[in-house]
Coordinates of all heavy atoms in Angstrom, one line a residue:
M1 N 53.5 329.1 39.0 CA 52.6 329.8 38.3 C 52.8 329.6 36.8 O 53.9 329.3 36.3 CB 52.7 331.3 38.6 CG 52.5 331.7 40.0 SD 50.9 331.3 40.7 CE 49.8 332.3 39.8
K2 N 51.7 329.7 36.0 CA 51.7 329.5 34.6 C 51.1 330.7 33.9 O 50.1 331.2 34.3 CB 51.0 328.2 34.2 CG 51.5 326.9 34.7 CD 50.7 325.8 34.3 CE 51.2 324.5 35.0 NZ 50.3 323.4 34.7
A3 N 51.7 331.1 32.8 CA 51.1 332.1 31.9 C 50.6 331.3 30.7 O 51.4 330.5 30.0 CB 52.1 333.1 31.5
I4 N 49.3 331.4 30.4 CA 48.7 330.6 29.3 C 48.1 331.5 28.2 O 47.4 332.5 28.6 CB 47.6 329.7 29.9 CG1 48.3 328.8 30.9 CG2 46.9 328.9 28.8 CD1 47.3 328.0 31.8
F5 N 48.4 331.2 27.0 CA 47.8 332.0 25.9 C 47.4 331.0 24.8 O 48.1 330.1 24.4 CB 48.9 332.9 25.3 CG 48.4 333.7 24.1 CD1 47.5 334.8 24.3 CD2 48.7 333.4 22.8 CE1 47.1 335.6 23.3 CE2 48.2 334.1 21.8 CZ 47.4 335.2 22.0
N6 N 46.1 331.1 24.4 CA 45.6 330.1 23.4 C 45.7 328.7 23.9 O 46.1 327.8 23.1 CB 46.2 330.4 22.0 CG 45.4 329.8 20.9 OD1 44.2 329.6 21.0 ND2 46.1 329.5 19.8
K7 N 45.5 328.4 25.1 CA 45.5 327.1 25.7 C 47.0 326.5 25.8 O 47.1 325.3 26.0 CB 44.6 326.1 25.0 CG 43.2 326.6 25.1 CD 42.3 325.7 24.3 CE 40.8 326.2 24.3 NZ 40.0 325.4 23.5
V8 N 48.0 327.3 25.6 CA 49.4 326.8 25.6 C 50.1 327.6 26.7 O 50.0 328.8 26.9 CB 50.1 327.1 24.2 CG1 51.6 326.7 24.3 CG2 49.4 326.2 23.2
V9 N 50.9 326.8 27.5 CA 51.7 327.5 28.6 C 52.9 328.2 27.9 O 53.7 327.5 27.2 CB 52.2 326.4 29.6 CG1 53.2 327.1 30.6 CG2 51.1 325.8 30.3
I10 N 53.0 329.5 28.1 CA 54.1 330.2 27.4 C 55.2 330.6 28.4 O 56.2 331.1 28.1 CB 53.5 331.5 26.7 CG1 52.7 332.4 27.6 CG2 52.7 331.0 25.5 CD1 52.3 333.7 27.0
A11 N 54.9 330.5 29.7 CA 55.9 330.7 30.8 C 55.4 329.9 32.0 O 54.2 329.8 32.3 CB 56.0 332.2 31.1
E12 N 56.3 329.4 32.8 CA 56.0 328.6 34.0 C 57.2 328.7 35.0 O 58.3 328.5 34.6 CB 55.7 327.2 33.6 CG 55.3 326.3 34.8 CD 54.8 324.9 34.4 OE1 55.0 324.6 33.3 OE2 54.4 324.2 35.3
S13 N 56.8 329.1 36.2 CA 57.8 329.3 37.2 C 57.3 329.2 38.6 O 56.1 329.6 38.8 CB 58.6 330.6 37.0 OG 59.5 330.8 38.1
Q14 N 58.1 328.7 39.6 CA 57.7 328.8 41.0 C 58.3 330.0 41.6 O 58.2 330.2 42.8 CB 58.2 327.5 41.7 CG 57.4 326.3 41.2 CD 57.9 325.0 41.9 OE1 58.8 325.1 42.8 NE2 57.3 323.9 41.5
E15 N 59.0 330.8 40.8 CA 59.8 332.0 41.4 C 59.3 333.3 40.7 O 60.1 334.1 40.3 CB 61.3 331.7 41.2 CG 61.8 330.5 41.9 CD 63.2 330.3 41.8 OE1 63.9 331.1 41.3 OE2 63.7 329.2 42.1
T16 N 58.0 333.5 40.6 CA 57.5 334.7 40.0 C 57.6 335.8 41.1 O 57.7 335.5 42.3 CB 56.0 334.6 39.6 OG1 55.3 334.2 40.7 CG2 55.9 333.6 38.4
V17 N 57.6 337.0 40.6 CA 57.6 338.2 41.5 C 56.3 339.0 41.2 O 56.0 339.3 40.1 CB 58.8 339.1 41.2 CG1 58.8 340.3 42.1 CG2 60.1 338.3 41.4
V18 N 55.5 339.3 42.3 CA 54.3 340.0 42.1 C 54.5 341.5 42.4 O 55.0 341.8 43.5 CB 53.2 339.4 43.0 CG1 51.9 340.2 42.8 CG2 53.0 337.9 42.7
V19 N 54.2 342.3 41.4 CA 54.3 343.8 41.6 C 53.0 344.4 41.1 O 52.6 344.1 39.9 CB 55.5 344.3 40.8 CG1 55.6 345.8 40.9 CG2 56.8 343.7 41.3
E20 N 52.4 345.1 41.9 CA 51.1 345.8 41.5 C 50.1 344.8 40.9 O 49.4 345.2 39.9 CB 51.4 347.0 40.6 CG 52.2 348.1 41.3 CD 52.6 349.2 40.4 OE1 52.7 349.0 39.1 OE2 52.8 350.3 40.9
G21 N 50.0 343.6 41.5 CA 49.1 342.6 41.0 C 49.5 341.9 39.8 O 48.7 341.0 39.3
N22 N 50.6 342.2 39.2 CA 51.1 341.5 38.0 C 52.2 340.5 38.4 O 53.1 340.8 39.2 CB 51.7 342.5 37.0 CG 50.7 343.4 36.5 OD1 49.7 343.0 35.9 ND2 50.9 344.7 36.6
Y23 N 52.1 339.3 37.8 CA 53.1 338.2 38.0 C 54.2 338.4 37.0 O 54.0 338.4 35.8 CB 52.5 336.9 37.9 CG 51.6 336.5 39.1 CD1 50.3 336.9 39.1 CD2 52.2 335.8 40.1 CE1 49.5 336.6 40.2 CE2 51.4 335.5 41.2 CZ 50.0 335.8 41.2 OH 49.3 335.5 42.3
Y24 N 55.4 338.6 37.4 CA 56.6 338.7 36.6 C 57.3 337.4 36.6 O 57.7 336.9 37.7 CB 57.5 339.8 37.1 CG 57.0 341.2 36.7 CD1 56.0 341.8 37.5 CD2 57.5 341.9 35.6 CE1 55.5 343.1 37.2 CE2 57.0 343.2 35.4 CZ 56.1 343.8 36.2 OH 55.6 345.0 35.9
F25 N 57.5 336.8 35.4 CA 58.2 335.5 35.3 C 59.6 335.7 34.9 O 59.9 336.5 34.0 CB 57.5 334.7 34.2 CG 56.1 334.2 34.5 CD1 55.0 335.0 34.6 CD2 55.9 332.8 34.8 CE1 53.8 334.6 34.9 CE2 54.6 332.4 35.2 CZ 53.6 333.2 35.2
P26 N 60.6 334.9 35.5 CA 61.9 335.0 35.1 C 62.1 334.7 33.6 O 61.4 333.8 33.1 CB 62.6 333.9 36.0 CG 61.7 333.6 37.1 CD 60.3 333.9 36.6
F27 N 63.0 335.4 33.0 CA 63.3 335.2 31.6 C 63.5 333.7 31.3 O 63.2 333.2 30.2 CB 64.5 336.0 31.1 CG 64.2 337.4 30.8 CD1 65.2 338.3 30.4 CD2 62.9 338.0 30.9 CE1 65.0 339.6 30.1 CE2 62.7 339.3 30.6 CZ 63.7 340.1 30.2
T28 N 64.2 333.0 32.2 CA 64.6 331.6 32.0 C 63.4 330.7 31.9 O 63.5 329.6 31.5 CB 65.6 331.1 33.0 OG1 65.0 331.3 34.3 CG2 66.9 331.8 32.9
S29 N 62.2 331.2 32.4 CA 61.0 330.3 32.4 C 60.1 330.6 31.3 O 59.0 330.0 31.2 CB 60.2 330.6 33.7 OG 59.6 331.9 33.7
V30 N 60.5 331.5 30.4 CA 59.6 331.9 29.2 C 59.9 331.1 28.0 O 61.1 330.9 27.6 CB 59.8 333.4 29.0 CG1 59.0 333.9 27.8 CG2 59.4 334.2 30.2
N31 N 58.9 330.7 27.2 CA 59.1 330.1 25.9 C 59.2 331.2 24.9 O 58.3 331.6 24.3 CB 57.9 329.2 25.6 CG 58.1 328.5 24.2 OD1 59.1 328.8 23.5 ND2 57.1 327.7 23.9
W32 N 60.5 331.7 24.7 CA 60.7 332.8 23.8 C 60.3 332.6 22.4 O 60.2 333.5 21.6 CB 62.2 333.3 23.9 CG 62.4 333.9 25.3 CD1 63.1 333.4 26.3 CD2 62.0 335.2 25.7 NE1 63.1 334.3 27.4 CE2 62.4 335.4 27.0 CE3 61.3 336.3 25.0 CZ2 62.2 336.6 27.7 CZ3 61.1 337.5 25.7 CH2 61.5 337.6 27.0
D33 N 60.1 331.4 21.9 CA 59.7 331.1 20.6 C 58.3 331.7 20.3 O 58.0 331.9 19.1 CB 59.6 329.6 20.3 CG 61.0 328.9 20.3 OD1 62.0 329.6 20.1 OD2 61.1 327.7 20.5
C34 N 57.5 332.0 21.3 CA 56.2 332.5 21.1 C 56.2 334.1 21.1 O 55.1 334.7 21.0 CB 55.3 332.1 22.3 SG 55.1 330.3 22.4
F35 N 57.3 334.7 21.2 CA 57.4 336.2 21.4 C 58.2 336.9 20.3 O 59.2 336.4 19.9 CB 58.0 336.5 22.8 CG 57.2 336.0 23.9 CD1 57.4 334.7 24.4 CD2 56.2 336.8 24.5 CE1 56.6 334.3 25.5 CE2 55.5 336.3 25.6 CZ 55.7 335.1 26.0
T36 N 57.7 338.1 20.0 CA 58.4 339.0 19.1 C 58.4 340.4 19.8 O 57.3 340.9 20.1 CB 57.7 339.1 17.7 OG1 57.6 337.8 17.2 CG2 58.5 340.0 16.8
E37 N 59.5 341.0 19.9 CA 59.6 342.3 20.5 C 58.9 343.3 19.5 O 59.1 343.3 18.3 CB 61.0 342.7 20.8 CG 61.1 344.0 21.6 CD 62.5 344.2 22.2 OE1 63.4 343.5 21.9 OE2 62.7 345.2 22.9
T38 N 58.2 344.3 20.1 CA 57.6 345.3 19.3 C 58.3 346.7 19.6 O 59.2 346.8 20.4 CB 56.1 345.5 19.7 OG1 56.0 346.1 21.0 CG2 55.4 344.1 19.6
N39 N 57.8 347.7 18.9 CA 58.4 349.1 19.1 C 57.6 349.8 20.2 O 58.0 351.0 20.5 CB 58.3 349.9 17.8 CG 59.3 349.3 16.8 OD1 60.4 348.9 17.1 ND2 58.9 349.3 15.5
H40 N 56.6 349.2 20.8 CA 55.8 349.9 21.9 C 56.6 350.0 23.2 O 57.3 349.0 23.6 CB 54.5 349.1 22.1 CG 53.6 349.8 23.0 ND1 52.9 351.0 22.7 CD2 53.2 349.5 24.3 CE1 52.2 351.3 23.7 NE2 52.3 350.5 24.7
H41 N 56.5 351.1 23.8 CA 57.1 351.3 25.2 C 56.1 352.1 26.0 O 55.3 352.9 25.5 CB 58.4 352.1 25.0 CG 59.5 351.3 24.3 ND1 59.6 351.4 23.0 CD2 60.4 350.5 24.8 CE1 60.6 350.6 22.6 NE2 61.1 350.0 23.7
S42 N 56.3 352.0 27.3 CA 55.5 352.8 28.2 C 56.5 353.2 29.4 O 57.5 352.5 29.5 CB 54.3 352.1 28.8 OG 54.6 351.0 29.5
T43 N 56.1 354.2 30.2 CA 57.0 354.6 31.2 C 56.3 354.6 32.6 O 55.2 355.0 32.7 CB 57.5 356.0 31.0 OG1 58.2 356.0 29.7 CG2 58.5 356.4 32.0
C44 N 56.9 354.0 33.6 CA 56.4 354.0 34.9 C 57.4 354.9 35.8 O 58.6 354.8 35.6 CB 56.4 352.6 35.5 SG 56.0 352.6 37.3
P45 N 56.9 355.8 36.6 CA 57.8 356.7 37.4 C 58.8 356.0 38.3 O 59.9 356.5 38.5 CB 56.8 357.6 38.2 CG 55.4 357.3 37.7 CD 55.5 356.1 36.8
W46 N 58.4 354.8 38.8 CA 59.3 354.2 39.7 C 60.0 352.9 39.2 O 61.0 352.4 39.7 CB 58.6 353.9 41.1 CG 57.6 352.8 41.1 CD1 56.3 352.9 40.8 CD2 57.8 351.4 41.4 NE1 55.7 351.7 40.9 CE2 56.6 350.7 41.3 CE3 59.0 350.7 41.8 CZ2 56.5 349.4 41.5 CZ3 58.8 349.3 42.0 CH2 57.6 348.7 41.9
K47 N 59.4 352.4 38.1 CA 60.0 351.1 37.4 C 60.9 351.5 36.3 O 61.8 350.7 36.0 CB 58.9 350.1 37.1 CG 58.2 349.5 38.2 CD 57.2 348.5 37.8 CE 56.0 349.3 37.4 NZ 54.7 348.6 37.4
G48 N 60.6 352.5 35.5 CA 61.3 352.9 34.3 C 60.5 352.6 33.0 O 59.3 352.7 33.0
T49 N 61.3 352.4 31.9 CA 60.7 352.2 30.6 C 60.4 350.7 30.4 O 61.3 349.9 30.5 CB 61.6 352.8 29.5 OG1 61.8 354.2 29.8 CG2 61.0 352.6 28.2
A50 N 59.2 350.4 30.0 CA 58.8 349.0 29.7 C 58.9 348.8 28.2 O 58.5 349.6 27.4 CB 57.4 348.7 30.1
S51 N 59.4 347.6 27.8 CA 59.4 347.1 26.4 C 58.4 346.1 26.3 O 58.2 345.2 27.2 CB 60.8 346.6 26.1 OG 61.8 347.6 26.2
Y52 N 57.7 346.0 25.1 CA 56.6 345.1 24.9 C 56.9 344.1 23.9 O 57.7 344.3 23.0 CB 55.3 345.9 24.5 CG 54.7 346.7 25.7 CD1 55.3 347.9 26.1 CD2 53.7 346.2 26.4 CE1 54.8 348.5 27.2 CE2 53.1 346.9 27.5 CZ 53.7 348.0 27.9 OH 53.2 348.7 28.9
Y53 N 56.1 343.0 24.0 CA 56.3 341.8 23.1 C 54.9 341.3 22.6 O 54.0 341.4 23.4 CB 57.0 340.6 23.8 CG 58.4 340.9 24.2 CD1 58.6 341.7 25.4 CD2 59.4 340.5 23.4 CE1 59.9 342.0 25.8 CE2 60.7 340.8 23.8 CZ 61.0 341.5 25.0 OH 62.3 341.8 25.3
T54 N 54.8 340.9 21.4 CA 53.6 340.3 20.9 C 53.7 338.8 21.1 O 54.8 338.2 20.9 CB 53.4 340.7 19.4 OG1 53.1 342.0 19.3 CG2 52.3 339.8 18.8
V55 N 52.7 338.2 21.5 CA 52.6 336.7 21.7 C 51.9 336.1 20.5 O 50.8 336.6 20.1 CB 51.9 336.4 23.0 CG1 51.9 334.9 23.3 CG2 52.5 337.2 24.2
K56 N 52.4 335.0 20.1 CA 51.8 334.3 19.0 C 51.9 332.8 19.3 O 52.9 332.2 19.5 CB 52.5 334.5 17.6 CG 51.8 333.8 16.4 CD 52.4 334.2 15.1 CE 51.7 333.7 13.9 NZ 51.9 332.3 13.7
V57 N 50.7 332.1 19.3 CA 50.6 330.7 19.4 C 49.6 330.2 18.4 O 48.4 330.6 18.4 CB 50.1 330.3 20.8 CG1 49.8 328.8 20.9 CG2 51.1 330.7 21.9
D58 N 50.1 329.4 17.5 CA 49.3 328.9 16.3 C 48.9 330.2 15.5 O 49.7 331.0 15.2 CB 48.2 328.0 16.7 CG 48.6 326.7 17.4 OD1 49.7 326.2 17.0 OD2 48.0 326.3 18.4
D59 N 47.6 330.3 15.3 CA 47.1 331.5 14.6 C 46.6 332.6 15.5 O 46.2 333.7 15.0 CB 46.0 331.1 13.6 CG 46.4 330.2 12.5 OD1 47.6 330.3 12.1 OD2 45.6 329.4 12.0
E60 N 46.8 332.5 16.8 CA 46.3 333.5 17.7 C 47.4 334.4 18.1 O 48.5 334.0 18.4 CB 45.8 332.8 19.0 CG 45.0 333.7 19.9 CD 43.6 333.9 19.4 OE1 43.1 333.1 18.6 OE2 43.1 334.9 19.9
I61 N 47.1 335.7 18.0 CA 48.2 336.8 18.2 C 47.6 337.7 19.3 O 46.5 338.2 19.3 CB 48.4 337.6 16.9 CG1 49.1 336.6 15.9 CG2 49.4 338.7 17.2 CD1 49.2 337.3 14.5
G62 N 48.5 338.0 20.3 CA 48.2 339.0 21.3 C 49.2 340.1 21.2 O 50.4 340.0 21.7
E63 N 48.8 341.2 20.5 CA 49.8 342.3 20.4 C 50.1 343.0 21.7 O 49.2 343.3 22.5 CB 49.2 343.4 19.4 CG 49.2 343.0 18.0 CD 48.9 344.1 17.0 OE1 49.4 345.2 17.2 OE2 48.0 343.9 16.2
N64 N 51.4 343.2 21.9 CA 51.9 343.9 23.1 C 51.3 343.3 24.4 O 51.0 344.0 25.4 CB 51.5 345.4 23.0 CG 52.2 346.1 21.9 OD1 53.4 345.8 21.6 ND2 51.5 346.9 21.1
A65 N 51.2 342.0 24.4 CA 50.5 341.3 25.6 C 51.5 340.9 26.7 O 51.1 340.4 27.7 CB 49.8 340.0 25.1
A66 N 52.8 341.2 26.4 CA 53.8 341.0 27.5 C 54.8 342.2 27.5 O 55.0 342.9 26.6 CB 54.6 339.7 27.1
W67 N 55.3 342.4 28.7 CA 56.3 343.5 28.9 C 57.3 343.2 29.9 O 57.2 342.3 30.7 CB 55.6 344.8 29.2 CG 55.1 344.9 30.6 CD1 55.8 345.4 31.7 CD2 53.8 344.4 31.2 NE1 55.0 345.3 32.8 CE2 53.8 344.7 32.5 CE3 52.7 343.8 30.6 CZ2 52.8 344.4 33.4 CZ3 51.7 343.5 31.4 CH2 51.7 343.8 32.8
C68 N 58.4 343.9 29.8 CA 59.5 343.8 30.8 C 60.2 345.2 30.9 O 60.0 346.1 30.1 CB 60.5 342.7 30.4 SG 61.5 343.2 28.9
Y69 N 61.0 345.3 31.9 CA 61.8 346.5 32.2 C 63.3 346.0 32.0 O 63.8 345.4 32.9 CB 61.6 347.0 33.6 CG 60.2 347.6 33.7 CD1 59.1 346.8 34.1 CD2 59.9 348.9 33.4 CE1 57.8 347.3 34.2 CE2 58.6 349.4 33.5 CZ 57.6 348.6 33.9 OH 56.3 349.1 34.0
K70 N 63.8 346.3 30.8 CA 65.2 345.9 30.5 C 66.2 346.5 31.4 O 67.2 345.9 31.8 CB 65.5 346.1 29.1 CG 64.7 345.3 28.1 CD 65.1 345.5 26.7 CE 64.3 344.7 25.7 NZ 64.7 344.9 24.3
E71 N 66.0 347.8 31.7 CA 66.9 348.5 32.6 C 66.0 349.2 33.7 O 65.9 350.5 33.6 CB 67.7 349.5 31.8 CG 68.6 348.8 30.8 CD 69.5 349.8 30.0 OE1 69.7 351.0 30.5 OE2 69.9 349.5 28.9
P72 N 65.5 348.5 34.6 CA 64.6 349.0 35.6 C 65.4 350.0 36.5 O 66.6 349.9 36.7 CB 64.1 347.8 36.4 CG 65.2 346.8 36.2 CD 65.7 347.0 34.9
K73 N 64.6 350.9 37.1 CA 65.1 351.8 38.1 C 65.5 351.0 39.3 O 65.0 349.9 39.5 CB 64.1 353.0 38.4 CG 63.9 353.9 37.2 CD 63.0 355.0 37.6 CE 62.9 356.0 36.5 NZ 62.0 357.2 36.8
E74 N 66.3 351.6 40.2 CA 66.7 350.9 41.4 C 65.6 350.3 42.2 O 65.7 349.2 42.7 CB 67.5 351.9 42.3 CG 68.3 351.3 43.5 CD 69.3 350.3 43.0 OE1 70.0 350.5 42.0 OE2 69.6 349.3 43.8
A75 N 64.5 351.0 42.4 CA 63.4 350.5 43.2 C 62.7 349.2 42.6 O 62.1 348.5 43.3 CB 62.3 351.6 43.4
A76 N 63.0 349.0 41.3 CA 62.4 347.8 40.6 C 63.3 346.8 40.2 O 63.0 345.9 39.3 CB 61.6 348.3 39.4
M77 N 64.5 346.8 40.8 CA 65.5 345.8 40.4 C 65.1 344.3 40.5 O 65.6 343.4 39.9 CB 66.9 346.0 41.1 CG 67.6 347.3 40.6 SD 67.9 347.4 38.9 CE 69.3 346.3 38.7
G78 N 64.1 344.1 41.4 CA 63.6 342.7 41.6 C 62.9 342.1 40.4 O 62.7 340.9 40.4
I79 N 62.5 343.0 39.4 CA 61.9 342.5 38.2 C 62.8 342.5 37.0 O 62.3 342.3 35.9 CB 60.5 343.1 38.0 CG1 60.7 344.6 37.9 CG2 59.5 342.7 39.0 CD1 59.4 345.4 37.4
K80 N 64.0 342.8 37.2 CA 65.0 342.8 36.1 C 65.0 341.4 35.5 O 65.0 340.4 36.3 CB 66.4 343.3 36.5 CG 67.3 343.3 35.4 CD 68.7 343.9 35.8 CE 69.6 343.9 34.6 NZ 70.4 345.1 34.5
E81 N 65.0 341.3 34.2 CA 65.0 340.0 33.5 C 63.8 339.1 33.9 O 63.9 337.9 34.0 CB 66.3 339.2 33.8 CG 67.5 339.9 33.2 CD 68.8 339.2 33.3 OE1 68.9 338.0 33.8 OE2 69.8 339.7 32.9
H82 N 62.7 339.8 34.0 CA 61.4 339.2 34.2 C 60.4 339.7 33.2 O 60.5 340.9 32.8 CB 60.9 339.5 35.7 CG 61.5 338.7 36.7 ND1 62.9 338.8 37.0 CD2 61.1 337.7 37.5 CE1 63.2 338.0 38.0 NE2 62.1 337.3 38.3
L83 N 59.4 338.9 32.9 CA 58.4 339.3 31.9 C 57.0 339.1 32.5 O 56.7 338.2 33.2 CB 58.5 338.3 30.7 CG 57.7 338.7 29.4 CD1 58.3 339.9 28.8 CD2 57.8 337.5 28.4
A84 N 56.1 340.1 32.3 CA 54.8 340.1 32.8 C 53.8 340.1 31.6 O 54.2 340.4 30.5 CB 54.5 341.4 33.7
F85 N 52.5 339.8 31.9 CA 51.5 339.6 30.9 C 50.2 340.3 31.2 O 49.9 340.5 32.3 CB 51.3 338.1 30.7 CG 52.5 337.3 30.5 CD1 53.1 336.7 31.6 CD2 53.0 337.1 29.2 CE1 54.3 335.9 31.4 CE2 54.2 336.4 29.0 CZ 54.8 335.8 30.1
W86 N 49.5 340.5 30.1 CA 48.1 341.0 30.3 C 47.3 340.7 29.0 O 47.7 339.8 28.3 CB 48.1 342.6 30.6 CG 48.6 343.4 29.5 CD1 49.6 343.2 28.6 CD2 48.2 344.7 29.2 NE1 49.8 344.3 27.7 CE2 48.9 345.2 28.1 CE3 47.2 345.6 29.7 CZ2 48.7 346.5 27.5 CZ3 47.0 346.8 29.2 CH2 47.8 347.3 28.1
K87 N 46.2 341.4 28.8 CA 45.3 341.2 27.7 C 44.8 339.7 27.7 O 44.2 339.3 28.7 CB 46.0 341.5 26.3 CG 46.3 343.0 26.2 CD 46.7 343.4 24.9 CE 46.9 344.9 24.8 NZ 47.3 345.4 23.5
N88 N 45.0 338.9 26.7 CA 44.4 337.6 26.7 C 45.3 336.5 27.3 O 45.1 335.3 27.0 CB 44.1 337.2 25.2 CG 43.0 338.1 24.7 OD1 42.1 338.5 25.4 ND2 43.0 338.3 23.4
V89 N 46.3 336.9 28.0 CA 47.1 335.9 28.7 C 46.6 335.6 30.1 O 46.3 336.6 30.9 CB 48.6 336.4 28.8 CG1 49.5 335.3 29.6 CG2 49.2 336.6 27.4
T90 N 46.3 334.4 30.4 CA 45.8 334.0 31.7 C 46.9 333.5 32.6 O 47.8 332.8 32.2 CB 44.8 332.8 31.6 OG1 43.8 333.3 30.6 CG2 44.1 332.5 32.9
I91 N 46.9 333.9 33.9 CA 47.8 333.5 34.9 C 47.1 332.5 35.8 O 46.1 332.8 36.4 CB 48.4 334.6 35.7 CG1 49.0 335.7 34.8 CG2 49.5 334.1 36.7 CD1 50.1 335.3 33.9
E92 N 47.7 331.3 36.0 CA 47.1 330.3 36.8 C 48.2 329.6 37.7 O 49.3 329.6 37.3 CB 46.4 329.2 35.9 CG 45.3 329.7 35.1 CD 44.7 328.6 34.2 OE1 45.1 327.4 34.3 OE2 43.8 328.8 33.4
E93 N 47.7 329.0 38.8 CA 48.6 328.2 39.6 C 48.8 326.9 39.1 O 48.0 326.3 38.4 CB 48.1 328.2 41.1 CG 48.3 329.4 41.8 CD 48.1 329.3 43.3 OE1 48.8 328.4 43.9 OE2 47.2 330.0 43.8

């Protein structure tokens, strides 16, 4: 699977984890040069607290377009050290 933003692959892995329709990419498959952590957080009752990242490729910016659970609850340990995407990030095979 590939995560694409502004026509550039920002993550690619054959070992994604799908949770609630979102593809979570292992940290090792992410091009971290394209990401900056933000102060935004959200909470899921069974996954825990999500931390968000802004994606930047060339002049295109996607605020809070990626998230992860740095310390997931027990039920979500399968997505620890994984990053998911939304907004203008496209997921393709």
